[in-house]
Amino acid sequence: MKVRILSTSDVHGFMYPTNYAQKDDYQPFGYLKASQLIRQIRQANPDDLILYVENGDFLEGSPFTDYAYQMRKQKDYYQRFSKIFHVVKPDVHILGNHEFNYSPKYLEAVYQHNEALILAANIEEGPNTKIIDGPYKIFEQNGVKVGVIGLTTQYIPHWEKPEHIEGWKFESVYQTAKKLVPQLRPLVDVLVLAYHGGFERNLQTGEPTEKLTGENEGYQLLTQIEGVDALVTGHQHREIAEVIGNVATTQPGYRGANVAEITLELDDKKQVVSRKAELHSTEDTAINQFLLPLVNDWQEDVQKWLDQTIAHIDGGMLIEDHMQARTHGHAYLELVNRVQMEALGADVAGTALFNDEVRGLDEEVTIRNVMNSYVYPNTLMLEEISGADMKSALERSASFFVKEADGSVGINPTFADPKPEFYNYDYYSGIDYTIDINQPFGQRITSLKYHGKDLKADDKLKVVINQYRGIGGGDYPMFSADKALELGETEVSRLIIAYLKAHPELKIKQPTNLTFVD
């Protein structure tokens, strides 16, 4: 007999094969494709025990899901997630870190009629919600028992708004699995860990690929816990399908670009005798026609909403060269910082160019422009920091760059591998500063001025950044919640839209406050 573990992870609300950059674009991904491929695999293997794990970060990350949240009081779209899952029939849901971005109350409302189990062994939820169904589930077919333990990265308190997780507790997934696996193993023939988290070390060498903060504990799960047959992962958006020792493991990328499959073959004694891990691209898969009645009108409304014109920018703010924008600033980044400073009355603002798909703004600015440029549901934090803190933050950002052997400017591999983290480089407005990448890390900020005067270590500044950065996210320990003076209520994308509506004829010049020496 064969046991097949299918998984999607980090779909981030990309139901249709589009990234919404333009109305009629096409991209080779999407949950409509992934769910159809899952149907096909099930139909092709009727005698196998097949479990499908939806491995988290499903409800946030695209205009499609953002619209459902924003319009929740007028439209029922957010309630259709359970209907979608009723059609696709996941066996297990795992909570991703981004599931918490719209608050557990929203999560509870979304999943209130959901049939699949939400498993989270290392999370104790707060007193005012009922979301988690249990730590694990045993599935049985033809006398074969498969246990699935649900796990979610413990690092959520480092990113999430405190009010969203008040009363919640997040434990180490490794420590949780270390205790639970020996208890569950005697009860099952196959044991699966479904983990919304990734790998902290190279799978072949064991060398660390990041700071060992506990955000990702997959390598420990893979190599230090006896009795595990399969490890489903996510969170890092990587594409992984490997067998390491006696454990098959997968990570299916993101946006529904792949369906991961682990195949375990059992002998007559129900012992695993072979293991295979593979990724199935959804590029050539047709869309799932059974889901269209649930999402077509939703998609039409999203596209109409995105195409609303909100402002005219003389010359536009399109980003032609992302590296140039990072090394010399850009009018689009200056706009975001200006919006942030106005919103919370800050002296200085920092923002990131999240990825190289960010286009910036056209001359005729639409909501689509804004939502595709500021892609996260961040709110703001105003903090009072010292001049020394400001310099430390700039040094952290300056470490984004390396000088290549040919003299060109490159990206520090620690920001690109194993997961691109371009969102951890910030550009700042309100100060004048110089980055010299010929200098060692930690000594690259060779000039730092505020209002034309050198910024001293004990000077005080009011700085506004998004809440992820404001609690130290991205290895910025100089920012922290205990330095907060004010918390913003409104998502930054909404603030940008409101600002543009209030300034429908806008012109922002290329900033000159960042000097880059290479």
Side-chain angles (χ1 to χ4, degrees), residues 64 67-69 71-72 74-82 84 106 110 294-302:
F64 188 83
Y67 185 80
Y69 174 72
M71 298 297 293
R72 63 195 182 282
Q74 290 85 28
K75 302 277 189 177
D76 72 344
Y77 295 144
Y78 75 99
Q79 297 176 329
R80 297 192 193 179
F81 286 112
S82 289
I84 289 168
Y106 180 71
V110 165
L294 293 172
V295 296
N296 266 343
D297 58 336
W298 185 349
Q299 176 76 347
E300 290 174 6
D301 278 356
V302 170

Side-chain angles (χ1 to χ4, degrees), residues 9-288:
S9 192
D10 302 274
V11 172
H12 285 292
F14 285 90
M15 190 69 59
Y16 282 80
T18 176
N19 62 7
Y20 294 97
Q22 300 190 30
K23 185 173 183 178
D24 298 318
D25 72 339
Y26 172 84
Q27 300 291 327
F29 52 66
Y31 195 66
L32 288 174
K33 289 171 164 284
S35 61
Q36 177 65 13
L37 185 52
I38 290 167
R39 289 187 72 250
Q40 293 172 358
I41 294 172
R42 283 169 167 162
Q43 291 171 352
N45 303 280
D47 298 327
D48 296 342
L49 195 164
I50 301 178
L51 298 178
Y52 164 40
V53 177
E54 208 307 297
N55 200 46
D57 277 7
F58 192 96
L59 300 178
E60 178 280 330
S62 73
F64 188 83
T65 47
D66 184 77
Y67 185 80
Y69 174 72
Q70 297 299 334
M71 298 297 293
R72 63 195 182 282
K73 295 180 180 178
Q74 290 85 28
K75 302 277 189 177
D76 72 344
Y77 295 144
Y78 75 99
Q79 297 176 329
R80 297 192 193 179
F81 286 112
S82 289
K83 296 177 181 179
I84 289 168
F85 291 133
H86 175 74
V87 174
V88 183
K89 299 188 185 309
D91 297 282
V92 168
H93 286 288
I94 306 300
L95 296 174
N97 51 295
H98 284 290
E99 252 72 67
F100 293 86
N101 290 167
Y102 295 139
S103 84
K105 279 297 183 184
Y106 180 71
L107 186 58
E108 186 177 50
V110 165
Y111 283 127
Q112 62 182 326
H113 301 300
N114 195 50
E115 297 159 7
L117 296 175
I118 296 176
L119 301 182
N122 68 306
I123 300 177
E124 180 182 328
E125 63 186 309
N128 300 318
T129 54
K130 183 63 181 79
I131 297 168
I132 298 169
D133 294 303
Y136 66 85
K137 171 69 176 178
I138 297 176
F139 299 88
E140 184 174 1
Q141 180 176 315
N142 297 330
V144 173
K145 295 181 179 180
V146 179
V148 180
I149 299 174
L151 301 162
T152 297
T153 175
Q154 64 166 314
Y155 219 59
I156 287 171
H158 293 263
W159 305 310
E160 194 52 64
K161 293 180 183 178
E163 62 267 28
H164 282 182
I165 53 173
E166 185 175 358
W168 288 65
K169 296 180 181 179
F170 299 84
E171 304 294 337
S172 160
V173 299
Y174 169 69
Q175 295 298 336
T176 300
K178 187 177 178 181
K179 295 175 185 176
L180 193 51
V181 167
Q183 299 173 30
L184 189 58
R185 179 74 251 191
L187 307 179
V188 299
D189 304 300
V190 172
L191 185 55
V192 179
L193 302 183
Y195 172 40
H196 187 86
F199 295 102
E200 72 280 23
R201 295 177 182 269
N202 182 287
L203 294 184
Q204 278 68 46
T205 68
E207 291 296 314
T209 53
E210 61 188 41
K211 288 189 176 181
L212 303 179
T213 62
E215 175 183 352
N216 297 301
E217 300 177 82
Y219 188 82
Q220 282 187 289
L221 296 177
L222 191 66
T223 62
Q224 297 181 24
I225 297 180
E226 295 291 332
V228 175
D229 297 297
L231 172 61
V232 172
T233 72
H235 183 56
Q236 294 172 311
H237 299 187
R238 297 168 66 185
E239 295 186 349
I240 297 171
E242 305 217 17
V243 177
I244 305 295
N246 291 322
V247 185
T249 188
T250 55
Q251 192 171 139
Y254 74 122
R255 297 191 292 195
N258 301 284
V259 173
E261 181 177 16
I262 292 172
T263 305
L264 305 174
E265 188 168 1
L266 279 60
D267 62 15
D268 293 340
K269 296 179 181 180
K270 304 177 188 176
Q271 300 291 312
V272 177
V273 294
S274 71
R275 303 161 180 83
K276 182 168 68 172
E278 54 192 326
L279 300 183
H280 303 294
S281 170
T282 63
E283 180 174 1
D284 296 326
T285 304
I287 63 175
N288 188 334

